[in-house]
Amino acid sequence: MPKYGFRAGTGLLSMMAARALAAAGGGEGRGGSVSACEAYLPMAKLTRRVFRANGMENKIKVFLKRSDELRVGVELDSRADILVTNHLFLSAQLSC
C-alpha cells in the first residue's frame, strides 16, 4: 500500500501499473516500463515525492508535459501498450 497520496492521481495509477507489471514478470529490463505525465509542475514534484516515499522512484519515469506532447524516439523508446488518462479532470478544466 502507498504510504501516502494527496491528489496525485498520476502517481497512484502509475504505481498500480508498475506493481501489476512487476507481478506479471515484465518489469524494467524485461521490456516493460511505466511512464507518468503531469503538466502541472507542483503536482509533478508531489508525484515524484510519492514515488520516492514508496520506493518506486526508479520504476516510473515522470514527464513534465501532457501525454499528447510525448514523442516516440524523443522522450519514449517505443509506443505505449496501455495509456491511462483522466479525461474527467481534463473535461472539467476545458469547460471553465
Side-chain angles (χ1 to χ4, degrees):
M1 282 315 252
K3 293 179 183 174
Y4 65 87
F6 177 73
R7 293 197 43 96
T10 299
L12 178 61
L13 295 174
S14 299
M15 287 190 297
M16 291 171 66
R19 287 185 177 134
L21 184 64
E28 192 74 31
R30 294 187 180 168
S33 65
V34 175
S35 300
C37 305
E38 177 55 63
Y40 185 53
L41 180 59
M43 288 303 296
K45 288 181 177 181
L46 177 61
T47 298
R48 287 185 178 113
R49 286 177 48 201
V50 170
F51 292 161
R52 192 170 31 259
N54 286 280
M56 301 192 92
E57 67 272 18
N58 295 322
K59 298 178 182 174
I60 306 166
K61 186 166 184 175
V62 179
F63 293 99
L64 182 60
K65 52 180 60 183
R66 296 187 329 247
S67 60
D68 63 343
E69 297 174 327
L70 294 178
R71 294 170 293 161
V72 174
V74 178
E75 295 91 1
L76 301 174
D77 295 331
S78 63
R79 293 181 56 165
D81 292 316
I82 299 172
L83 175 65
V84 178
T85 184
N86 187 346
H87 284 290
L88 180 60
F89 178 70
L90 181 60
S91 297
Q93 281 191 323
L94 293 177
S95 64
C96 295

